[in-house]
Amino acid sequence: MRFAYDLHLHSCLSPCADDDATPANLAGMAAVQELAFAALTDHNTCGNVRSFFEAAKEHPGLVPVAGMELCTSEEIHLVCLFPGVEEAERFEEGTVRPVRVPVKNDPARFGRQIKMDAEDTVLGEEEDWLIPAAGIDLESATEAVRALGGEAFPAHIDRPSYGLLSVLGMFPARPRFGAVEVAKAENIPRLVAEHALDPAKILADSDAHRLMDVNGAEHFLDLPEPTVPALLSLFRSWRA
Amino acid sequence: MTEAEVAAALGLEAIHAGEGTREIKGIYAGDLLSRVMSHAKAGNFWVTIMANPNVVAVAMLVDAGMVVLAEGVEPEPAAAAAAKAKGIALYRSEKPAAELCIAAAAAGV
């Protein structure tokens, strides 16, 4: 069966995202758009993932996915998806938080980094500035995600900044990726031609920083069932 | 100036020295490898802070004269191994990129 997805969404915890992109609003928007899968992937944090899962319980057709958009030491954005909330939080606490650049956020300049519960109650603000590159390279980060049972893929490889191809010029020998993500589906033919990619393994996510930018049911994955294990297992099979 | 003369003049630490006799011509500084691929020229003294093994692949592609990792950056182990395997002259330095470029220019590169 084919299931609609958007595996790259930012909440109000990302400083550059709208403050009304709360976990509850994002879950609601994903449901309205009739997405089967929606992944919350804030910059260098999974701090709102638990609330996003709680909020998604209100929408029976929606499968929430626990994620993070990590900025690696090469300044490559990597979408990291996990089997569940616990693994995502373990990744943040054990792997990412210790290697964040020790710079505090300046909400007036960069935007607020708001942690919320599933009812839009503000729980607090993340003090570490979440935008700078973390001190972990692409290969180590990918291995750490996989060690937790998750899967990682390079984000928006068609963009001139923070994308794997703009930073590294070409795919590195390691790590090997199955899935890759583009910001604009119209760039897929060019990327397929230039980098010998399999078009069936290219994801088109919104990278939404505003509620209105969440994808509609436009891009689909063929899966036996709409579950996170089935999703991760598909991505694993792509890199086998 | 040859690779060996430039390395000695700037006090560079060799990760993998080339033959040392190649003439180094022109200076290029950059870290976004997609830009380096299309802008660096053959024989260049290329300064970067990118430690990924793709630096070696790009150095081969543009036929860089020598590559210097600036600002105390250590190469990823696979990058050092690739430089050796592919015969790319790879050096490192504690000095920032701008200082290395100025020193290279002053030395006559």
Side-chain angles (χ1 to χ4, degrees):
Chain A
M1 282 182 72
R2 291 163 80 241
F3 298 100
Y5 68 88
D6 191 345
L7 300 175
H8 188 158
L9 304 173
H10 291 272
S11 79
C12 50
L13 183 49
S14 293
C16 39
D18 276 1
D19 287 355
D20 63 2
T22 67
N25 285 347
L26 279 172
M29 181 58 89
V32 165
Q33 298 286 16
E34 299 184 331
L35 296 174
F37 291 97
L40 182 59
T41 54
D42 281 310
H43 292 293
N44 291 0
T45 181
C46 303
N48 270 347
V49 164
R50 190 171 284 279
S51 303
F52 180 63
F53 270 57
E54 192 62 34
K57 286 179 184 168
E58 301 291 320
H59 310 287
L62 177 68
V63 177
V65 186
M68 174 191 290
E69 182 179 28
L70 175 68
C71 186
T72 71
S73 57
E74 301 93 342
E75 302 209 337
I76 293 171
H77 284 184
L78 183 71
V79 175
C80 308
L81 303 181
F82 300 92
V85 177
E86 281 74 23
E87 291 86 353
E89 291 177 347
R90 212 177 309 153
F91 182 69
E92 174 166 4
E93 295 310 318
T95 303
V96 177
R97 191 182 292 278
V99 295
R100 276 193 202 137
V101 176
V103 177
K104 297 296 174 203
N105 184 38
D106 180 348
R109 287 167 68 197
F110 306 124
R112 295 175 71 196
Q113 302 182 153
I114 308 168
K115 285 193 184 182
M116 286 224 174
D117 72 7
E119 279 85 39
D120 287 357
T121 310
V122 175
L123 301 175
E125 293 198 32
E126 171 64 51
E127 289 195 353
D128 291 348
W129 188 28
L130 296 169
I131 294 301
I136 181 167
D137 63 67
L138 183 71
E139 187 176 359
S140 305
T142 303
E143 283 172 2
V145 173
R146 289 175 186 167
L148 287 162
E151 282 294 308
F153 53 83
H156 42 66
I157 63 168
D158 51 338
R159 286 232 187 105
S161 18
Y162 301 111
L164 180 143
L165 290 176
S166 68
V167 174
L168 292 184
M170 61 189 97
F171 282 92
R174 291 171 61 84
R176 305 290 289 185
F177 291 106
V180 297
E181 180 200 77
V182 295
K184 288 199 165 71
E186 59 259 38
N187 289 327
I188 291 176
R190 177 178 61 80
L191 290 164
V192 167
E194 288 176 2
H195 298 278
L197 298 175
D198 179 349
K201 300 176 181 174
I202 302 178
L203 304 169
D205 295 320
S206 69
D207 189 7
H209 286 66
R210 303 177 298 180
L211 286 170
M212 67 179 93
D213 293 333
V214 175
N215 272 352
E218 298 156 24
H219 305 287
F220 299 85
L221 288 167
D222 205 348
L223 291 167
E225 55 178 26
T227 63
V228 172
L231 181 74
L232 295 176
S233 155
L234 178 72
F235 294 159
R236 262 191 295 278
S237 76
W238 283 358
R239 62 180 171 87
Chain B
M1 275 190 117
T2 65
E3 173 203 329
E5 288 167 345
V6 175
L10 273 63
L12 305 177
E13 177 190 329
I15 293 158
H16 174 72
E19 290 180 358
T21 53
R22 185 172 179 190
E23 186 70 14
I24 305 301
K25 197 76 195 145
I27 299 168
Y28 187 85
D31 310 309
L32 274 184
L33 301 187
S34 56
R35 300 284 300 183
V36 180
M37 281 163 64
S38 52
H39 290 77
K41 295 189 173 60
N44 273 179
F45 174 89
W46 171 26
V47 185
T48 184
I49 52 164
M50 180 62 76
N52 187 276
N54 271 22
V55 164
V56 173
V58 171
M60 290 172 69
L61 195 72
V62 302
D63 191 24
M66 60 196 293
V67 184
V68 185
L69 302 182
E71 248 167 35
V73 164
E74 296 283 352
E76 291 180 22
K84 196 172 174 188
K86 306 292 185 186
I88 292 296
L90 181 63
Y91 292 81
R92 66 181 291 282
S93 171
E94 296 297 325
K95 293 175 186 157
E99 216 172 289
L100 288 167
C101 291
I102 292 165
V109 173

